[in-house]
Amino acid sequence: MPSLSTGIHIALQAVLAHSQSIEVIEHNVANANTVGYRRQSAVLSAAVPSQSYGADFGTGAGMRGSGVTVDAIKRFNLEFFDGRFRGTNADARKFEMERDVMIQLEHTLAETGDDGMLAHLDQFWTGWQQVASDPTNTSLRAGLLDDAGALANAFDRRAGQLIQLRDDQDQAIISRVEEINDLASRVAETNAEISRVLSLGEQPNDLMDKRDLLLDRLSETAGATSYIQKNGEVIVSIGGHVLVTGQDTLKLNYAPNSANSGLVAIAWEDGLPLSAPSGEIKGLLEARDVIIPKQQAAQDQMAQALIANLNNAHSNGFGLDGSTNLDFFTGDSALNIRVNPNLTSQNLAAASSTGEASNNEVALAIAAMKSSNLMDGGTKTIHQYYNGEITRLGLELSRAKDSVTHLGSVSTALGQQRESVAGVNLDEEAANMVKSQKAYQAAARIMTVFDELLDRIINGMGVSGR
Amino acid sequence: MRITNQMMINNAISHMGDNLERLNHLSDRVATGKQFQTASDDPVAASISLSLRSTLKTTEVYRSTAEGTDDWMSANEFAFQQMETIGIRAVNLVQRGLNDTLSASERASALGAEMEKLLQQALDVGNMTHNGQYVFSGYMTDTKPFSMPDPDTLDFNGDDNIMKRTISPGQVVSMGIDGEAVFRPFFEALMQARTDLNTNDTITLPATLTELQSAVNIMDEARTSNGARQRQVQSAVEYLDKIAFEVKDLLSSKEDVNMAEAISTMRGQETAYQSVLEVGQRAISALNLFDFLG
């Protein structure tokens, strides 16, 4: 048998449930632009029905509904998208780092401009050719020494900038390591909070948003993967090594490595080396330890080929003043190649024997080196070798650019799918708000009806005939 | 697909970014007039353009070498021309000396004295300089090649090296003259003729005439050979000019932007960018249901 106070209670529950729904909608609207926010919604369900009793009992009228309750506040998320999004994003970031370094390399080498290494080399060989065509002309000789100085300078400047570029990558790597450690501690803290809330039977939705954001960033920096355990805590690992497990972290350390020009080596607390599968740190390590050293090696090999061949030919020649056995270049790498400071336009050797002013045989032999195969075990000229290196860098860079664009669009698409499920649509929220508002109003109205009924009973009954 | 407001705005922003980047690239092309700014813009074209530039530079220096060689050989030619004039005059004098009607004193004072002058002239030609360098002393261009310490001795102080120049890859041309081999017979014949005329030695004079003529022949041969080689150098200059022109043309076709095409592409991109801004503006400021609910 119904009681009037039950009716008021049902109406009250409805009013509370719908105002809760409106509050969730408000939360969604408030966070429409919050990065990493997943929309939430109040899941309403009919409250547990009560047994019919009294006169209704056994009449087959069934159980009596007892109104509505908020079952849960649901968080829209698909872990599947999270995983795929993070994986692609990590790869995209790796290529992005490599691309950025190669763009800087290309600008450093400035190859297609007038300051290109090949332009300097051309000028150098041209200088020898001119001396060969007029061996007694001292101004041509002085011009050649200037050109050679500019060439040595071009080597030196590039080598210096490449070292600087490697140091810059090293700094970026250190800052990433520190970031990863910091992220790891924050994930561990959030893990603790989440498992505590879950153990109380509540849904820590906003904490999970926060942790997902941290995990996004961890995968971006180091290609970290994560696995959610039953108690809601997440295990994070990088390249198969655990970074966060529950509320504990295993941190990364870095220390200068004397075997690698004093640049840092990264290892786990337990001493194992870090092997990041992708992410920014992988791209930076690749740039620092593979891409830049390759260009450095190319510069060094060219410088060494020039130093060895020029000195060999030049020291066997004779200057205008009869001096001989002089090196043309000093140094042994791109960084320290210099024109022998003792050379003058008088003792620069163009002749193959002394006292013959117009003997140009040594100058001719050196000018001919432009087209002789001095590089790669006698298979390439210096020009072919360097042209090959520049083209290879250009191809690698355009490949990296393509990969960034491609992976970028894939991760954008995956991010959109995630957003499509979890993002806030204001129209939807408005419609839901109206829905809840109407239900709230109706429940309030019903409560008024019961109020009137009670009024009738309390104030209107038993006064007949008064 | 469920679309959220954030997706709309993010997409609008990324489309604007993409279009702006494309516009930037195209305006770079127009501003610099170059197809590519860095090797990675077009690695293959950049590689070709680098080799072409190197070829152009090489061609230019070969051309300047060839021109210098041509000048030097013109100096050779000039010397041979003067030597020939001297030779003809000397042969003339000897033939007049063979004339029986002349007296001994006439031979000595008129013919012998002139022959001495011719000898001195020839010696000056042999010691000719070009750009401050002695033309006929082999590699020792800073040494005066011919000298006569006494009237009957001729010293050659140069060497017999022939100067060579590379005027294109693999094409080496001899531009020098072996001064001693070409001129010594002539100088000696002139000295002999002078002595014969001065000493009125009509017996050896006919033999001297023959000697003189064969010396002139030796110079003629050298002159012909110099001329042939000089033509080779001149045609090399023309060839190198043609190559340089073609390489420049090719380089321009690889590197330079077709302005009409580049500017119209850029214009097209500008229009596209404006449309994207228009559309983006709508996406960003799009109304939602909240605006319509009373």
Side-chain angles (χ1 to χ4, degrees):
Chain A
M1 222 168 76
S3 84
L4 289 178
S5 62
T6 313
I8 289 183
H9 182 68
I10 291 178
L12 175 65
Q13 267 195 314
V15 164
L16 290 178
H18 291 298
S19 70
Q20 173 81 62
S21 288
I22 293 175
E23 212 177 276
V24 171
I25 289 168
E26 193 186 356
H27 188 49
N28 280 343
V29 172
N31 285 295
N33 289 332
T34 305
V35 181
Y37 180 75
R38 308 278 191 275
R39 80 183 150 118
Q40 300 173 8
S41 82
V43 181
L44 301 182
S45 70
V48 180
S50 60
Q51 273 302 334
S52 50
Y53 50 91
D56 296 335
F57 185 71
T59 57
M63 300 172 91
R64 292 182 342 143
S66 57
V68 66
T69 55
V70 176
D71 241 12
I73 295 178
K74 181 186 168 195
R75 172 175 178 261
F76 284 81
N77 192 38
L78 288 179
E79 274 158 30
F80 168 71
F81 283 136
D82 278 343
R84 284 200 55 199
F85 171 76
R86 286 178 194 148
T88 335
N89 206 22
D91 286 340
R93 299 298 290 184
K94 166 181 170 275
F95 282 111
E96 224 168 273
M97 292 293 128
E98 293 182 13
R99 177 198 64 182
D100 289 353
V101 163
M102 286 193 266
I103 287 175
Q104 289 188 57
L105 266 179
E106 232 182 12
H107 284 289
T108 305
L109 301 175
E111 218 34 69
T112 49
D114 291 335
D115 191 38
M117 182 63 86
L118 287 181
H120 283 297
L121 275 168
D122 274 333
Q123 194 59 44
F124 177 66
W125 300 125
T126 302
W128 277 106
Q129 179 74 39
Q130 280 169 336
V131 167
S133 67
D134 194 356
T136 56
N137 188 329
T138 48
S139 65
L140 287 181
R141 287 164 168 261
L144 166 62
L145 287 175
D146 276 352
D147 292 342
L151 177 66
N153 193 18
F155 269 115
D156 177 30
R157 199 173 60 238
R158 281 171 174 72
Q161 281 170 343
L162 289 178
I163 290 175
Q164 181 62 48
L165 200 54
R166 266 193 101 189
D167 284 347
D168 292 348
Q169 306 313 310
D170 201 47
Q171 287 304 316
I173 288 169
I174 291 174
S175 79
R176 291 305 186 288
V177 169
E178 279 166 356
E179 190 183 352
I180 291 168
N181 286 340
D182 177 50
L183 287 167
S185 322
R186 282 158 65 193
V187 168
E189 283 162 21
T190 325
N191 264 347
E193 195 71 0
I194 286 173
S195 65
R196 189 184 62 78
V197 175
L198 279 173
S199 69
L200 299 174
E202 301 290 339
Q203 275 292 320
N205 288 340
D206 297 321
L207 286 172
M208 286 171 133
D209 286 353
K210 212 171 118 188
R211 191 178 62 187
D212 273 345
L213 214 53
L214 295 172
L215 292 176
D216 278 358
R217 181 66 192 141
L218 265 176
S219 71
E220 234 172 54
T221 43
T225 50
S226 53
Y227 170 75
I228 300 182
Q229 288 174 295
K230 282 226 170 65
N231 65 355
E233 290 177 346
V234 77
I235 297 180
V236 186
S237 54
I238 299 174
H241 194 289
V242 170
L243 175 71
V244 182
T245 161
Q247 302 167 26
D248 301 317
T249 56
L250 255 158
K251 299 247 165 106
L252 289 167
N253 293 328
Y254 56 86
N257 178 6
S258 54
N260 191 11
S261 321
L263 301 171
V264 298
I266 309 167
W268 293 95
E269 268 177 358
D270 59 16
L272 290 169
L274 169 77
S275 71
S278 57
E280 290 172 357
I281 205 161
K282 169 81 170 169
L284 289 167
L285 285 167
E286 190 93 359
R288 189 193 73 178
D289 294 338
V290 180
I291 297 171
I292 301 173
K294 232 193 251 175
Q295 290 301 321
Q296 287 178 316
Q299 299 276 336
D300 278 342
Q301 282 185 25
M302 289 204 305
Q304 283 154 4
L306 274 176
I307 293 168
N309 288 289
L310 256 291
N311 286 354
N312 186 27
H314 191 267
S315 58
N316 287 324
F318 294 85
L320 284 176
D321 59 0
S323 38
T324 183
N325 211 12
L326 283 166
D327 277 346
F328 189 82
F329 284 121
T330 61
D332 59 5
S333 71
L335 189 61
N336 61 16
I337 182 174
R338 297 281 183 280
V339 179
N340 184 350
N342 299 324
L343 283 186
T344 64
S345 52
Q346 286 300 317
N347 62 16
L348 179 83
S352 61
S353 71
T354 185
E356 300 178 346
S358 277
N359 180 329
N360 65 353
E361 283 167 21
V362 166
L364 267 184
I366 292 176
M369 283 179 192
K370 179 183 178 179
S371 44
S372 31
N373 294 333
L374 307 178
M375 304 292 300
D376 264 9
T379 55
K380 283 185 184 130
T381 68
I382 290 184
H383 280 245
Q384 286 166 343
Y385 176 79
Y386 196 56
N387 197 336
E389 287 298 311
I390 290 303
T391 314
R392 196 170 51 74
L393 178 65
L395 283 168
E396 271 175 14
L397 176 51
S398 77
R399 245 197 325 265
K401 279 181 180 167
D402 285 350
S403 300
V404 170
T405 316
H406 170 69
L407 288 169
S409 63
V410 172
S411 83
T412 307
L414 287 168
Q416 287 212 340
Q417 274 180 322
R418 193 162 76 154
E419 173 72 12
S420 175
V421 171
V424 177
N425 177 325
L426 291 175
D427 295 338
E428 230 172 63
E429 302 303 327
N432 286 335
M433 184 188 73
V434 172
K435 211 166 70 182
S436 300
Q437 195 185 352
K438 296 291 180 206
Y440 179 96
Q441 285 167 351
R445 173 59 53 92
I446 289 173
M447 197 186 276
T448 325
V449 170
F450 274 101
D451 182 38
E452 279 175 17
L453 291 180
L454 278 170
D455 181 53
R456 172 65 56 191
I457 288 171
I458 295 167
N459 297 321
M461 279 174 80
V463 293
S464 62
R466 198 185 283 182
Chain B
M1 191 178 188
R2 188 174 164 272
I3 303 295
T4 71
N5 301 69
Q6 256 199 61
M7 277 163 84
M8 295 266 288
I9 291 169
N10 288 345
N11 281 345
I13 291 171
S14 89
H15 288 151
M16 282 187 259
D18 290 351
N19 273 278
L20 195 60
E21 195 183 324
R22 234 171 288 155
L23 186 61
N24 178 47
H25 178 68
L26 289 171
S27 66
D28 265 2
R29 274 181 63 198
V30 173
T32 58
K34 296 282 173 210
Q35 289 277 23
F36 44 85
Q37 315 303 319
T38 53
S40 62
D41 289 345
D42 189 347
V44 178
S47 160
I48 295 174
S49 115
L50 287 175
S51 336
L52 285 176
R53 278 197 217 180
S54 181
T55 309
L56 188 60
K57 189 93 196 167
T58 315
T59 310
E60 276 164 2
V61 71
Y62 276 131
R63 194 187 177 285
S64 92
T65 305
E67 275 185 341
T69 311
D70 189 26
D71 288 349
W72 187 277
M73 293 175 92
S74 297
N76 288 347
E77 168 64 21
F78 179 69
F80 282 126
Q81 208 180 326
Q82 293 201 315
M83 286 295 200
E84 190 171 300
T85 317
I86 295 168
I88 291 168
R89 183 68 192 148
V91 169
N92 246 328
L93 288 178
V94 175
Q95 278 168 344
R96 273 174 60 198
L98 284 172
N99 196 334
D100 287 343
T101 56
L102 287 175
S103 69
S105 64
E106 276 171 332
R107 279 201 181 90
S109 63
L111 304 181
E114 192 177 349
M115 194 59 87
E116 174 65 28
K117 245 184 258 157
L118 287 179
L119 177 60
Q120 288 309 324
Q121 269 180 32
L123 209 57
D124 283 348
V125 174
N127 286 334
M128 188 177 79
T129 60
H130 174 69
N131 279 345
Q133 295 168 286
Y134 290 103
V135 178
F136 297 110
S137 48
Y139 277 171
M140 301 164 71
T141 48
D142 46 1
T143 310
K144 201 174 187 174
F146 297 102
S147 61
M148 287 179 64
D150 63 72
D152 291 317
T153 320
L154 180 82
D155 279 353
F156 180 71
N157 307 309
D159 58 31
D160 60 357
N161 285 316
I162 309 281
M163 277 195 279
K164 294 189 175 65
R165 292 288 179 265
T166 314
I167 53 170
S168 66
Q171 192 183 4
V172 180
V173 166
S174 310
M175 73 169 190
I177 301 286
D178 184 347
E180 182 163 32
V182 174
F183 294 128
R184 183 183 275 284
F186 184 54
F187 290 138
E188 282 177 348
L190 285 178
M191 285 194 295
Q192 184 61 47
R194 178 208 56 196
T195 314
D196 288 352
L197 291 171
N198 280 346
T199 55
N200 197 18
D201 188 350
T202 48
I203 317 290
T204 50
L205 208 50
T208 309
L209 181 63
T210 324
E211 200 184 317
L212 195 57
Q213 278 166 335
S214 78
V216 170
N217 279 344
I218 290 173
M219 290 194 303
D220 265 354
E221 275 167 29
R223 183 183 182 185
T224 315
S225 141
N226 182 60
R229 277 179 281 123
Q230 195 177 0
R231 267 196 301 283
Q232 188 188 345
V233 172
Q234 283 163 349
S235 76
V237 171
E238 279 168 28
Y239 173 73
L240 289 168
D241 273 346
K242 217 171 96 187
I243 295 272
F245 179 78
E246 276 168 11
V247 170
K248 273 183 198 156
D249 211 39
L250 203 58
L251 195 57
S252 159
S253 81
K254 291 283 171 208
E255 274 189 353
D256 293 349
V257 162
N258 173 349
M259 274 297 171
E261 182 250 313
I263 290 174
S264 55
T265 318
M266 190 180 73
R267 272 287 141 79
Q269 185 58 41
E270 269 170 14
T271 317
Y273 182 56
Q274 270 167 11
S275 324
V276 168
L277 284 181
E278 186 81 16
V279 173
Q281 179 259 114
R282 280 175 204 199
I284 288 169
S285 59
L287 296 170
N288 60 53
L289 196 50
F290 282 107
D291 298 309
F292 297 99
L293 290 175

